[in-house]
Amino acid sequence: MLFLVSLMGMTMLSTQDLPAQTLRDDQPIDVSAGRCEVFENEDTVRCEGAVRVSQGEAILAADRMTIYGTQEEGGFRRIEAEGAVRYATGENAMSGQSATYDAATTTLTLIGDVVVVQADQVMTGGQLVYNTTTGATLFTPPNGGRVRGVFYTANDAR
């Protein structure tokens, strides 16, 4: 049996719904793009053209990204992504129109036509805040809309 959920307001997925996948200090961060412009005085890199940032199983991809670094640590503090944004970790994938990853809070905020797919399960909404450390996910609806999810039980014929 197919179980269809359509909720008003906000929906909170359990931390078991999306496995946590955070950026780690012990793995390199790979950035690739069609073009990148480095602004050393601003500690910023602006990339465009099928931009992809990956580390381990975590992949963030978009048409354009601005990466705000931390010169002292050699890492980054924030990534802003625009245009056809996708975030994937193994079997799980999220997409939206724009996104911001904040390293201090380990949260990824996706905005605009957000879709999350985990195996056969699908949720859609206007905005998603995903904590990559804990796996906690908060969905909010688009203006005047609703959050929607399609979930299958173990007895569903697929």
Side-chain angles (χ1 to χ4, degrees):
M1 163 170 58
L2 173 69
F3 180 59
L4 177 64
V5 178
S6 185
L7 304 171
M8 293 182 75
M10 294 184 273
T11 296
M12 182 71 137
L13 297 179
S14 76
T15 57
Q16 295 174 345
D17 289 334
L18 295 173
Q21 175 67 44
T22 190
L23 294 174
R24 301 163 43 124
D25 291 337
D26 63 345
Q27 294 181 342
I29 299 168
D30 180 28
V31 178
S32 64
R35 174 178 179 256
C36 288
E37 190 173 5
V38 178
F39 300 90
E40 286 188 35
N41 292 339
E42 299 172 22
D43 206 12
T44 302
V45 178
R46 290 190 187 111
C47 299
E48 60 184 39
V51 185
R52 178 182 159 129
V53 175
S54 62
Q55 185 182 47
E57 285 190 341
I59 300 168
L60 178 64
D63 296 336
R64 295 169 304 286
M65 285 190 209
T66 302
I67 302 167
Y68 299 89
T70 57
Q71 289 180 354
E72 303 82 36
E73 299 171 18
F76 62 86
R77 64 182 186 276
R78 188 173 78 243
I79 298 174
E80 295 175 356
E82 296 178 2
V85 177
R86 296 162 313 285
Y87 178 75
T89 59
E91 292 184 20
N92 303 300
M94 305 173 190
S95 64
Q97 295 174 355
S98 65
T100 300
Y101 177 78
D102 184 325
T105 61
T106 66
T107 56
L108 177 70
T109 302
L110 282 158
I111 299 171
D113 300 324
V114 177
V115 177
V116 175
V117 177
Q118 181 186 28
D120 292 337
Q121 322 308 334
V122 178
M123 283 198 76
T124 61
Q127 178 175 312
L128 167 113
V129 179
Y130 171 60
N131 186 306
T132 62
T133 301
T134 66
T137 305
L138 174 65
F139 250 106
T140 55
N143 289 340
R146 298 164 67 88
V147 173
R148 184 172 181 191
V150 178
F151 306 94
Y152 291 90
T153 66
N155 298 326
D156 288 334
R158 296 184 187 144

